Amino acid sequence: MGLLDNKTAIVTGSSRGIGAATAKILAGEGAAVVVNYRQKAPRANKVVAEIEAAGGRATAVGGDLTDQSDVDALAQAAVDTFGSLDVLVLNASGGMESGLGEDYALKLNRDAQVAMLKAAAERMKPGSRVVFVTSHQAHFIDSVDTMDAYEPVARSKRAGETALRELVPWLTEKGITFVVVSGDMIEGTITATLLERAAPGAIASRREAAGKLYSVEEFAAEVAKMVTADVPTGHTEYVGGAEHFQA
């Protein structure tokens, strides 16, 4: 028996990286998983194939989280395909990409997160959980400076976390709990790669300051733990290196 038998989870942005690794772990715990992607269907289908090969259940659903109709369709796909929606992992984020507009980071990291949570919550039963994935650089941005290249993203993700937390009373009325997982820079992610490109040496500098940086798989395991962890709603789980930001 897995911890998530007979449960259905959506993991946004799960065709690669932390999202894909989290989806696989949740499937291994018994959850049916909706693997969400924006453009890369082959990558998402590969994640689904790996989950199914391991005996799990999954489906890939494309959707731009900044498009309300796509958000509604993604939430409904979980119910239509697997019969319920019990877990939402808000993993997708961005804003360092070029050519998507000055306000794209805020649209994706705040507005789309709120829209996705609301669409999912309307379909969730009491006992369900939402997990929002963020970074220490974003979570602590109001008190600790971050790299110039990352600051717009950090501020938009902090705005997203704040907006989501404002919905906790509404979620509580529905019997849905909300948890934040905040992590240090993660080795091997696209964000770390883009930061390194913008500020060479950034990864090594952060690794030295923290003593250790988590890998994608290690961090995904911590995210997955928070799906079933016995913690109060509104809890923030710090993964690696938070002491530097809390000092």
Side-chain angles (χ1 to χ4, degrees), residues 96 135 137-138 146-155 157 191 195:
M96 294 190 70
S135 65
Q137 287 83 2
T146 189
M147 291 159 282
D148 290 345
Y150 189 64
E151 184 168 351
V153 176
R155 293 203 176 279
K157 282 186 71 66
T191 298
L195 276 172

Side-chain angles (χ1 to χ4, degrees), residues 165-181:
R165 287 187 182 278
E166 289 173 354
L167 296 174
V168 167
W170 177 69
L171 292 173
T172 298
E173 290 179 2
K174 292 178 171 293
I176 301 168
T177 51
F178 174 80
V179 175
V180 172
V181 180

Side-chain angles (χ1 to χ4, degrees), residues 2-240:
L3 292 172
L4 293 169
D5 285 350
N6 302 314
K7 306 289 187 183
T8 302
I10 293 175
V11 183
T12 64
S14 49
S15 66
R16 66 179 176 188
I18 294 164
T22 301
K24 293 173 189 176
I25 294 169
L26 298 182
E29 291 287 355
V33 182
V34 177
V35 175
N36 162 246
Y37 65 95
R38 185 165 67 94
Q39 292 179 317
K40 308 293 187 181
R43 260 193 332 221
N45 289 330
K46 182 180 178 183
V47 175
V48 170
E50 290 173 356
I51 288 172
E52 291 178 337
R57 296 180 298 153
T59 188
V61 179
D64 182 344
L65 299 185
T66 65
D67 183 319
Q68 184 64 52
S69 62
D70 282 6
V71 166
D72 290 331
L74 175 58
Q76 190 59 37
V79 178
D80 290 346
T81 306
F82 298 117
S84 69
L85 176 52
D86 310 280
V87 174
L88 172 64
V89 179
L90 291 167
N91 165 75
S93 66
M96 294 190 70
E97 306 89 338
S98 59
L100 293 174
E102 287 185 11
D103 63 343
Y104 180 71
L106 204 56
K107 285 172 64 176
L108 177 59
N109 297 331
R110 183 192 65 188
D111 302 345
Q113 306 299 319
V114 170
M116 188 69 242
L117 181 146
K118 287 182 175 179
E122 294 292 1
R123 295 164 171 83
M124 287 173 145
K125 296 176 182 177
S128 298
R129 174 160 290 181
V130 177
V131 177
F132 175 66
V133 181
T134 189
S135 65
H136 297 338
Q137 287 83 2
H139 182 75
F140 293 106
I141 188 61
D142 292 332
S143 57
V144 181
D145 290 337
T146 189
M147 291 159 282
D148 290 345
Y150 189 64
E151 184 168 351
V153 176
R155 293 203 176 279
S156 67
K157 282 186 71 66
R158 179 64 242 193
E161 181 181 340
T162 299
L164 292 169
R165 287 187 182 278
E166 289 173 354
L167 296 174
V168 167
W170 177 69
L171 292 173
T172 298
E173 290 179 2
K174 292 178 171 293
I176 301 168
T177 51
F178 174 80
V179 175
V180 172
V181 180
S182 179
D184 208 329
M185 191 181 293
I186 309 299
E187 302 258 22
T189 61
I190 186 65
T191 298
T193 300
L194 290 172
L195 276 172
E196 183 69 20
R197 192 177 301 163
I203 294 175
S205 175
R206 188 66 214 125
R207 189 188 301 116
E208 181 178 355
K212 165 189 167 61
L213 294 182
Y214 278 61
S215 69
V216 166
E217 290 73 20
E218 288 171 333
F219 184 65
E222 298 301 317
V223 173
K225 283 180 188 176
M226 286 299 108
V227 168
T228 55
D230 183 12
V231 294
T233 192
H235 171 76
T236 301
E237 183 72 9
Y238 296 113
V239 180

